[in-house]
């Protein structure tokens, strides 16, 4: 077996497990809120059976909470479904801004835990690359994870992407000490380096703008 592909496979499984575990945690939170409101609804029903007037305003509020949580769960499951389908095709045209939005959605819980503010500015022009969707998501997660671990004192990370002739650049700003802490070649250790190489991607730091820049080849290697 190709050692690099074996490493990428194990890295991908870890990424998939991390994301699905986080999603399941969010779904459990939704179910806990629904269960709590079901208990409140049952209490109102019992009180009404004992002769107390039924508070329709409370019923409306509880019903509204049910609707909100069902919509939240639907959004989470749709995101999981889209994420799962990224493994369907080895290489295809991928809109980088859409991939970023997916990863940011999947990482919502991690961002909240780090108490960081993320601001993603959609590009004015299409930022399309011919790449492996799953590996691209994995690489974007590596970048996002590093940004979350190394934010400035304001804990505000800006993300934007721009299309050039042969590549798409994704910038993560608000990382003041990144260039001093680590060399790009070792940014993600062995696992991340393997994904960078297979996608024909590069990492650079710009200390003047406190940014980390991911360069994605518009036509990556076929893993």
């Amino acid at each position: 077996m190709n050692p690099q592909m074996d490493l990428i496979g194990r890295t991908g499984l870890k990424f998939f497990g991390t994301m699905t575990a986080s999603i399941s945690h969010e779904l459990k939170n939704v179910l806990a809120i629904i269960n709590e409101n079901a208990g409140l609804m049952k209490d109102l029903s019992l009180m009404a059976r004992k002769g107390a007037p039924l508070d329709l305003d409370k019923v409306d509020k509880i019903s509204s909470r049910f609707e909100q949580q069902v919509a939240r769960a639907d959004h989470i499951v749709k995101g999981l479904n889209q994420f799962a389908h990224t493994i369907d095709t080895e290489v295809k045209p991928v809109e980088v801004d859409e991939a970023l939005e997916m990863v940011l959605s999947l990482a919502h819980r991690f961002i909240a835990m780090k108490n960081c503010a993320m601001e993603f500015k959609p590009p004015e022009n299409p930022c399309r690359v011919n790449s492996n969707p799953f590996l691209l998501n994995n690489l974007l997660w590596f970048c996002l994870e590093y940004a979350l671990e190394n934010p400035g004192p304001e804990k505000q990370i800006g993300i934007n992407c721009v299309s050039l002739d042969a590549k798409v650049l994704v910038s993560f700003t608000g990382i003041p000490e990144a260039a001093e802490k680590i060399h790009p070649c070792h940014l993600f250790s062995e696992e991340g380096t393997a994904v960078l190489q297979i996608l024909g991607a590069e990492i650079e730091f710009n200390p003047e703008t406190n940014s980390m820049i991911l360069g994605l080849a518009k036509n990556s290697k076929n893993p």
Side-chain angles (χ1 to χ4, degrees):
M1 179 178 288
N2 186 323
Q4 185 187 44
M5 291 305 300
D6 183 45
L7 176 62
I8 288 174
R10 286 186 280 111
T11 302
L13 282 174
K14 181 179 179 181
F15 169 54
F16 196 87
T18 298
M19 293 298 106
T20 53
S22 180
I23 290 168
S24 67
H25 185 90
E26 287 202 59
L27 286 173
K28 285 185 67 176
N29 287 341
V30 171
L31 291 173
I33 294 173
I34 289 175
N35 186 58
E36 178 184 352
N37 282 279
L40 292 175
M41 188 72 83
K42 187 174 182 179
D43 289 343
L44 289 176
S45 176
L46 290 173
M47 291 172 62
R49 288 177 185 276
K50 292 179 180 180
L54 183 61
D55 191 330
L56 295 179
D57 287 339
K58 287 186 178 180
V59 172
D60 288 341
K61 288 180 180 179
I62 294 173
S63 298
S64 179
R65 291 179 199 143
F66 278 129
E67 292 174 352
Q68 291 171 4
Q69 294 307 313
V70 169
R72 178 183 171 193
D74 183 65
H75 176 75
I76 293 171
V77 172
K78 283 182 178 178
L80 175 60
N81 182 267
Q82 291 175 349
F83 176 54
H85 279 296
T86 60
I87 65 173
D88 290 349
T89 308
E90 288 190 353
V91 175
K92 72 172 189 177
V94 181
E95 301 294 340
V96 177
D97 56 311
E98 293 179 3
L100 276 166
E101 288 176 348
M102 177 185 295
V103 174
L104 285 169
S105 178
L106 292 170
H108 171 77
R109 179 167 165 266
F110 297 103
I111 296 170
M113 289 170 61
K114 290 293 183 179
N115 196 28
C116 278
M118 288 281 171
E119 182 181 3
F120 171 55
K121 295 182 179 179
E124 296 181 359
N125 299 312
C127 289
R128 186 179 299 112
V129 297
N130 200 48
S131 186
N132 180 294
F134 180 77
L135 292 181
L136 178 58
N137 282 355
N138 197 349
L139 182 55
L140 292 172
W141 162 243
F142 275 130
C143 291
L144 181 59
E145 185 180 37
Y146 183 78
L148 289 172
E149 293 294 335
N150 297 276
E154 300 84 4
K155 290 194 172 183
Q156 294 183 339
I157 307 296
I159 307 174
N160 62 74
C161 55
V162 61
S163 178
L164 303 180
D165 290 339
K167 64 177 62 176
V168 168
L169 299 182
V170 182
S171 299
F172 297 80
T173 60
I175 314 174
E177 300 180 17
E180 301 175 7
K181 284 187 175 182
I182 197 164
H183 189 277
C185 293
H186 306 294
L187 179 61
F188 308 132
S189 70
E190 187 180 11
E191 293 86 355
T193 300
V195 179
L196 278 168
Q197 291 176 346
I198 203 69
L199 294 181
E202 300 174 339
I203 289 284
E204 295 181 356
F205 292 111
N206 188 334
E208 295 182 0
T209 59
N210 292 332
S211 61
M212 175 177 67
I213 303 168
L214 172 65
L216 299 168
K218 288 190 173 181
N219 289 288
S220 71
K221 301 175 184 177
N222 189 335

